[in-house]
Amino acid sequence: EPEVTQTPSHQVTQMGQEVILRCVPISNHLYFYWYRQILGQKVEFLVSFYNNEISEKSEIFDDQFSVERPDGSNFTLKIRSTKLEDSAMYFCASSETRGRGLEQYFGPGTRLTVT
Amino acid sequence: GQQLNQSPQSMFIQEGEDVSMNCTSSSIFNTWLWYKQDPGEGPVLLIALYKAGELTSNGRLTAQFGITRKDSFLNISASIPSDVGIYFCAGQGVYGGSQGNLIFGKGTKLSVKP
């Protein structure tokens, strides 16, 4: 069964450093998303991406964040200058369509630890 | 913004028991999804609901999209040890800007009674 994959599974970085989290969405999916989950809390939406541009972003997704689809398979989230409060699990998700086909499938996540 | 209230926050089960949990909102949702999350893993989609009143089953799981479009419940029948985990409801709103992103509840943690 096709699945969303993410790398790395765990990333440790120092405050102020740049990190890139990588995702490979399900191959026939057209919509891509990033969510984050701070330890013990609910999953929060960051950004959605379709047709090589951002569709929607939350207030969490500020100028420090960016997303990119550098090739036909990868989808990346970049945090330019990490802060302690960026420590969280970051989940990539993809869906085939929006609206009635809104079934988002999540990857296993990347645990980001900022020290 | 739109918020989901999920209850109970936690519950303890014994194998064989039926389980029920629900989500409510003060505003209307177009779509309700139920996910299960195991520790250190991503949410796994269990059931998707698209129409008010819709009742959908997936094995021992049954979920319903409330008639008012402001609530949904998930039932698990004859629970087994592997049902342990955190269950999240998630909804897609109707208003502009919410055309894809999901709003998650805080989760119901299912544990096994000692």
Side-chain angles (χ1 to χ4, degrees):
Chain A
E1 188 173 318
E3 56 184 21
V4 176
T5 59
Q6 289 185 244
T7 54
S9 57
H10 190 189
Q11 174 87 50
V12 182
T13 189
Q14 287 191 328
M15 197 168 51
Q17 295 297 305
E18 175 184 285
V19 293
I20 297 176
L21 310 183
R22 302 180 193 281
C23 167
V24 179
I26 294 172
S27 62
N28 65 331
H29 284 188
L30 301 176
Y31 297 87
F32 315 119
Y33 312 84
W34 283 101
Y35 292 82
R36 80 169 186 192
Q37 185 180 33
I38 294 171
L39 185 64
Q41 298 188 22
K42 67 179 180 180
V43 178
E44 299 174 291
F45 168 75
L46 292 178
V47 65
S48 59
F49 191 88
Y50 169 70
N51 199 25
N52 280 319
E53 60 183 25
I54 291 174
S55 305
E56 188 178 0
K57 58 184 180 180
S58 72
E59 57 192 22
I60 301 169
F61 193 88
D62 61 23
D63 291 343
Q64 293 300 314
F65 291 89
S66 62
V67 289
E68 192 179 26
R69 186 147 164 88
D71 53 45
S73 59
N74 290 284
F75 179 50
T76 62
L77 174 70
K78 182 194 288 187
I79 309 175
R80 260 180 278 280
S81 177
T82 50
K83 304 187 283 282
L84 292 175
E85 53 264 38
D86 293 328
S87 295
M89 283 289 284
Y90 287 81
F91 294 108
C92 173
S94 68
S95 65
E96 194 171 353
T97 63
R98 294 189 302 184
R100 198 166 172 84
L102 184 71
E103 295 181 6
Q104 293 184 22
Y105 293 88
F106 283 71
T110 293
R111 179 175 298 282
L112 178 65
T113 302
V114 182
T115 62
Chain B
Q2 292 178 296
Q3 298 217 11
L4 295 180
N5 300 306
Q6 192 171 347
S7 65
Q9 276 187 314
S10 62
M11 54 194 313
F12 292 85
I13 60 169
Q14 279 187 334
E15 189 171 351
E17 283 182 348
D18 294 343
V19 171
S20 185
M21 60 191 80
N22 68 78
C23 255
T24 59
S25 172
S26 58
S27 52
I28 291 170
F29 280 81
N30 269 342
T31 304
W32 287 93
L33 303 170
W34 285 92
Y35 288 86
K36 178 176 184 263
Q37 186 178 31
D38 291 327
E41 298 185 15
V44 174
L45 181 63
L46 300 173
I47 291 180
L49 301 160
Y50 297 103
K51 193 175 169 184
E54 182 180 354
L55 184 73
T56 297
S57 292
N58 178 7
R60 294 178 296 105
L61 277 60
T62 302
Q64 184 160 31
F65 192 146
I67 293 288
T68 64
R69 296 167 68 191
K70 294 182 179 181
D71 63 319
S72 176
F73 72 74
L74 175 71
N75 286 343
I76 305 172
S77 63
S79 55
I80 59 178
S82 61
D83 290 334
V84 164
I86 301 178
Y87 291 79
F88 289 98
C89 61
Q92 180 208 16
V94 300
Y95 299 108
S98 296
Q99 293 181 30
N101 79 72
L102 295 177
I103 297 164
F104 278 78
K106 291 185 177 179
T108 293
K109 185 176 181 181
L110 209 57
S111 305
V112 177
K113 276 184 190 172

Coordinates of all heavy atoms in Angstrom, one line a residue, chain A residues 6-13 17-23 34 64-70 74-82 90 110-112:
Chain A
Q6 N 9.0 10.2 5.3 CA 9.6 11.4 5.7 C 11.0 11.1 6.2 O 11.3 10.0 6.8 CB 8.8 12.0 6.9 CG 7.5 12.6 6.5 CD 6.8 13.3 7.6 OE1 5.7 12.9 8.1 NE2 7.4 14.4 8.1
T7 N 11.9 12.0 6.0 CA 13.3 11.9 6.5 C 13.8 13.3 6.9 O 13.4 14.3 6.4 CB 14.2 11.4 5.4 OG1 14.1 12.2 4.2 CG2 13.9 9.9 5.0
P8 N 14.6 13.3 8.0 CA 15.0 12.2 8.8 C 13.9 11.9 9.8 O 12.9 12.7 9.9 CB 16.2 12.7 9.5 CG 16.0 14.2 9.6 CD 15.2 14.6 8.4
S9 N 14.0 10.8 10.6 CA 13.0 10.5 11.6 C 13.3 11.4 12.8 O 12.3 11.8 13.5 CB 13.1 9.1 12.0 OG 14.4 8.7 12.4
H10 N 14.5 11.8 13.0 CA 14.8 12.7 14.2 C 15.9 13.6 13.7 O 16.9 13.2 13.2 CB 15.3 11.9 15.4 CG 15.4 12.7 16.6 ND1 15.9 12.2 17.8 CD2 15.0 13.9 16.9 CE1 15.9 13.1 18.8 NE2 15.3 14.2 18.3
Q11 N 15.7 14.9 14.0 CA 16.7 15.9 13.7 C 17.0 16.8 14.9 O 16.1 17.3 15.5 CB 16.2 16.8 12.5 CG 17.0 18.0 12.2 CD 18.1 17.7 11.2 OE1 17.8 17.1 10.1 NE2 19.3 18.0 11.5
V12 N 18.3 16.9 15.3 CA 18.6 17.7 16.4 C 19.4 18.9 15.8 O 20.4 18.7 15.0 CB 19.5 17.0 17.4 CG1 19.9 17.9 18.6 CG2 18.8 15.7 17.9
T13 N 19.1 20.1 16.2 CA 19.8 21.2 15.7 C 19.9 22.3 16.7 O 19.2 22.3 17.7 CB 19.0 21.8 14.5 OG1 19.8 22.8 13.8 CG2 17.7 22.5 14.9
Q17 N 20.0 27.7 13.6 CA 20.4 26.9 12.4 C 19.2 26.7 11.5 O 18.1 26.7 11.9 CB 21.0 25.6 12.8 CG 22.3 25.7 13.6 CD 23.4 26.3 12.8 OE1 23.8 25.9 11.7 NE2 24.0 27.4 13.3
E18 N 19.6 26.5 10.2 CA 18.5 26.1 9.3 C 18.3 24.6 9.2 O 19.3 23.9 9.3 CB 19.0 26.6 7.9 CG 18.1 26.2 6.7 CD 18.6 26.7 5.4 OE1 18.6 27.9 5.1 OE2 19.1 25.8 4.6
V19 N 17.1 24.2 9.1 CA 16.8 22.8 8.9 C 15.9 22.6 7.7 O 15.1 23.4 7.4 CB 16.2 22.1 10.1 CG1 17.1 22.1 11.3 CG2 14.9 22.8 10.5
I20 N 16.1 21.5 7.0 CA 15.2 21.1 5.9 C 14.6 19.7 6.2 O 15.4 18.7 6.4 CB 15.9 21.0 4.6 CG1 16.4 22.4 4.2 CG2 15.0 20.5 3.5 CD1 17.2 22.5 3.0
L21 N 13.3 19.6 6.3 CA 12.6 18.4 6.5 C 12.1 17.9 5.2 O 11.5 18.7 4.4 CB 11.5 18.5 7.5 CG 11.9 19.3 8.8 CD1 10.7 19.3 9.8 CD2 13.1 18.6 9.5
R22 N 12.2 16.6 4.9 CA 11.9 16.1 3.6 C 10.7 15.1 3.7 O 10.6 14.3 4.6 CB 13.1 15.4 3.0 CG 14.3 16.4 2.8 CD 15.5 15.7 2.2 NE 16.7 16.6 2.4 CZ 16.9 17.6 1.7 NH1 16.1 18.0 0.7 NH2 18.0 18.4 1.9
C23 N 10.0 15.1 2.6 CA 8.8 14.2 2.5 C 8.7 13.7 1.1 O 9.0 14.4 0.1 CB 7.6 15.1 2.9 SG 6.0 14.3 2.5
W34 N 1.9 20.3 5.4 CA 2.7 20.2 6.6 C 1.9 20.5 7.8 O 1.2 21.5 7.8 CB 4.0 21.0 6.5 CG 5.0 20.5 5.6 CD1 5.3 20.9 4.4 CD2 6.0 19.5 5.9 NE1 6.4 20.2 3.8 CE2 6.8 19.3 4.8 CE3 6.2 18.6 7.0 CZ2 7.8 18.4 4.7 CZ3 7.2 17.7 6.9 CH2 8.0 17.6 5.8
Q64 N 9.9 32.6 8.6 CA 11.0 31.6 8.9 C 10.8 30.3 8.1 O 11.7 29.5 8.0 CB 11.1 31.4 10.4 CG 11.6 32.6 11.2 CD 13.0 33.1 10.7 OE1 13.9 32.3 10.5 NE2 13.1 34.3 10.5
F65 N 9.5 30.1 7.7 CA 9.2 28.8 7.1 C 9.1 29.0 5.6 O 8.6 30.0 5.1 CB 7.9 28.3 7.6 CG 7.9 27.8 9.1 CD1 7.6 28.8 10.1 CD2 8.1 26.5 9.4 CE1 7.6 28.3 11.4 CE2 8.1 26.1 10.7 CZ 7.8 27.0 11.7
S66 N 9.4 27.9 4.9 CA 9.2 27.9 3.4 C 9.0 26.5 3.0 O 9.5 25.5 3.7 CB 10.3 28.6 2.6 OG 11.5 27.9 2.8
V67 N 8.3 26.3 1.9 CA 8.1 24.9 1.4 C 8.5 24.9 -0.1 O 8.4 26.0 -0.8 CB 6.6 24.4 1.5 CG1 6.3 24.1 3.0 CG2 5.7 25.4 0.9
E68 N 8.8 23.7 -0.6 CA 9.3 23.6 -1.9 C 9.0 22.2 -2.4 O 9.1 21.3 -1.7 CB 10.8 23.9 -2.0 CG 11.3 24.1 -3.4 CD 12.8 24.4 -3.4 OE1 13.5 24.1 -2.4 OE2 13.3 25.1 -4.3
R69 N 8.8 22.1 -3.7 CA 8.7 20.8 -4.4 C 9.8 20.8 -5.4 O 9.6 21.2 -6.6 CB 7.4 20.6 -5.0 CG 7.1 19.2 -5.6 CD 5.7 18.8 -5.5 NE 5.4 17.6 -6.3 CZ 5.5 16.4 -5.9 NH1 6.0 16.1 -4.7 NH2 5.1 15.4 -6.7
P70 N 11.0 20.4 -5.0 CA 12.2 20.6 -5.8 C 12.2 19.7 -7.1 O 12.9 20.0 -8.0 CB 13.4 20.3 -4.9 CG 12.8 19.4 -3.8 CD 11.4 19.9 -3.7
N74 N 9.7 14.9 -4.2 CA 10.0 15.4 -2.9 C 9.2 16.7 -2.6 O 8.9 17.5 -3.5 CB 11.5 15.7 -2.7 CG 12.3 14.4 -2.7 OD1 12.3 13.7 -1.7 ND2 13.0 14.1 -3.8
F75 N 8.9 16.8 -1.3 CA 8.2 18.0 -0.8 C 9.0 18.4 0.5 O 9.1 17.6 1.4 CB 6.8 17.7 -0.6 CG 5.9 18.8 0.0 CD1 5.9 20.1 -0.6 CD2 5.1 18.6 1.1 CE1 5.2 21.1 -0.1 CE2 4.3 19.7 1.6 CZ 4.4 20.9 1.0
T76 N 9.5 19.6 0.6 CA 10.3 19.9 1.7 C 9.8 21.1 2.5 O 9.1 22.0 2.0 CB 11.8 20.3 1.3 OG1 11.7 21.5 0.4 CG2 12.4 19.2 0.5
L77 N 10.1 21.1 3.8 CA 9.8 22.2 4.7 C 11.1 22.7 5.2 O 11.9 22.0 5.8 CB 8.9 21.8 5.8 CG 8.7 22.8 6.9 CD1 7.7 23.9 6.4 CD2 8.0 22.1 8.2
K78 N 11.4 24.0 5.0 CA 12.6 24.6 5.5 C 12.3 25.6 6.6 O 11.4 26.4 6.5 CB 13.3 25.4 4.4 CG 14.7 26.0 4.8 CD 15.2 27.0 3.8 CE 15.7 26.3 2.6 NZ 16.4 27.3 1.7
I79 N 13.0 25.5 7.7 CA 13.0 26.5 8.8 C 14.3 27.2 8.7 O 15.4 26.6 9.0 CB 12.7 25.9 10.1 CG1 11.5 24.9 10.1 CG2 12.4 27.0 11.2 CD1 11.2 24.2 11.4
R80 N 14.3 28.5 8.5 CA 15.5 29.3 8.2 C 16.4 29.5 9.4 O 17.6 29.3 9.4 CB 15.2 30.6 7.6 CG 15.3 30.7 6.1 CD 15.0 32.1 5.6 NE 13.5 32.3 5.5 CZ 12.8 31.8 4.4 NH1 13.4 31.2 3.4 NH2 11.6 32.0 4.3
S81 N 15.8 29.8 10.5 CA 16.6 30.1 11.7 C 15.8 29.6 12.9 O 14.8 30.2 13.4 CB 16.8 31.6 11.9 OG 17.5 31.9 13.1
T82 N 16.1 28.3 13.3 CA 15.2 27.6 14.3 C 15.3 28.3 15.6 O 16.3 28.9 16.1 CB 15.7 26.2 14.4 OG1 17.1 26.1 14.6 CG2 15.3 25.4 13.2
Y90 N 7.0 17.1 13.2 CA 6.5 17.7 11.9 C 6.0 16.5 11.0 O 6.7 15.6 10.7 CB 7.6 18.5 11.2 CG 7.8 19.8 12.0 CD1 8.7 19.8 13.1 CD2 7.2 21.0 11.6 CE1 8.9 20.9 13.8 CE2 7.5 22.1 12.3 CZ 8.3 22.1 13.4 OH 8.5 23.3 14.1
T110 N 8.8 13.7 11.5 CA 10.2 14.0 11.8 C 10.2 14.7 13.2 O 9.5 15.8 13.3 CB 10.9 15.0 10.8 OG1 11.0 14.3 9.6 CG2 12.2 15.4 11.3
R111 N 10.9 14.2 14.1 CA 11.0 14.8 15.4 C 12.1 15.8 15.4 O 13.3 15.5 15.2 CB 11.2 13.8 16.6 CG 11.4 14.5 17.9 CD 11.5 13.5 19.1 NE 10.3 12.6 19.1 CZ 9.2 13.0 19.7 NH1 9.1 14.2 20.2 NH2 8.2 12.1 19.8
L112 N 11.8 17.1 15.5 CA 12.8 18.2 15.5 C 13.0 18.6 16.9 O 12.1 19.0 17.6 CB 12.3 19.4 14.7 CG 13.2 20.6 14.6 CD1 14.5 20.2 13.9 CD2 12.6 21.8 13.9

